[in-house]
Amino acid sequence: MEKDIHEYDDIINLPHHQSVTRPHMSLHDRAAQFSPFAALTGYEAAVSETARLTEGKIELNEDARAVLDEKLQFLQESAGGQQVSVTYFQPDIRKKGGAYLSVSGIIKKINTYERVIVLEDGTSISVDDILDIQSDIFKYE
């Protein structure tokens, strides 16, 4: 029977070469060479950011603004420490628009100079961004 002759028969049984100057690469590092490559770094984040929805700020008419100003004046003149629920607009830091948030808490102070309401938990809300203020104190007016 005749033996098959192949092109690499002369080297097929030689021992595997090990470098004396470089350490042997681990299987994990060898596999990492073949991991997927993201040619567009940040593309997924950019698409997600573009898809994220924001709302436009609602501009109050004169009547709604007058009612809100009366509520603020009443809260400022009251003894303080009133429990309120404030709905306000929070601008988005990355794109045009923002979101409406509602927060409840006890008023620490109303700063008319800086036009902010500060709650006891440290939340600071710009008066210009307030859409509505609710409180049990307004039910007894």
Side-chain angles (χ1 to χ4, degrees):
M1 188 169 194
E2 203 169 300
K3 185 177 178 187
D4 290 333
I5 299 175
H6 294 49
E7 188 175 351
Y8 298 108
D9 280 346
D10 58 336
I11 62 170
I12 199 74
N13 293 321
L14 291 177
H16 179 70
H17 173 71
Q18 294 284 340
S19 174
V20 288
T21 58
R22 296 178 186 248
H24 186 68
M25 185 182 285
S26 71
L27 288 178
H28 180 268
D29 290 341
R30 286 179 58 81
Q33 294 179 15
F34 303 102
S35 64
F37 172 68
L40 300 174
T41 306
Y43 177 74
E44 288 297 322
V47 169
S48 297
E49 178 62 24
T50 302
R52 189 171 54 83
L53 298 177
T54 57
E55 298 179 65
K57 184 175 180 182
I58 298 170
E59 296 298 327
L60 297 177
N61 62 28
E62 285 185 38
D63 294 335
R65 177 57 59 192
V67 168
L68 187 60
D69 287 342
E70 286 178 19
K71 287 180 176 182
L72 286 168
Q73 185 69 32
F74 186 77
L75 286 169
Q76 192 169 10
E77 291 172 357
S78 67
Q82 301 298 326
Q83 177 74 28
V84 294
S85 179
V86 182
T87 302
Y88 66 100
F89 182 77
Q90 183 176 31
D92 195 295
I93 58 173
R94 293 191 187 109
K95 61 195 295 188
K96 186 176 181 179
Y100 277 93
L101 304 174
S102 290
V103 64
S104 294
I106 297 174
I107 294 179
K108 182 177 181 180
K109 68 179 177 178
I110 298 176
N111 187 329
T112 55
Y113 180 72
E114 292 181 10
R115 298 187 49 80
V116 294
I117 294 176
V118 180
L119 301 180
E120 283 188 349
D121 67 357
T123 303
S124 181
I125 303 168
S126 171
V127 170
D128 298 324
D129 292 333
I130 295 175
L131 181 65
D132 190 26
I133 300 175
Q134 297 294 320
S135 177
D136 289 340
I137 197 169
F138 300 134
K139 295 177 183 175
Y140 303 115
E141 290 184 46

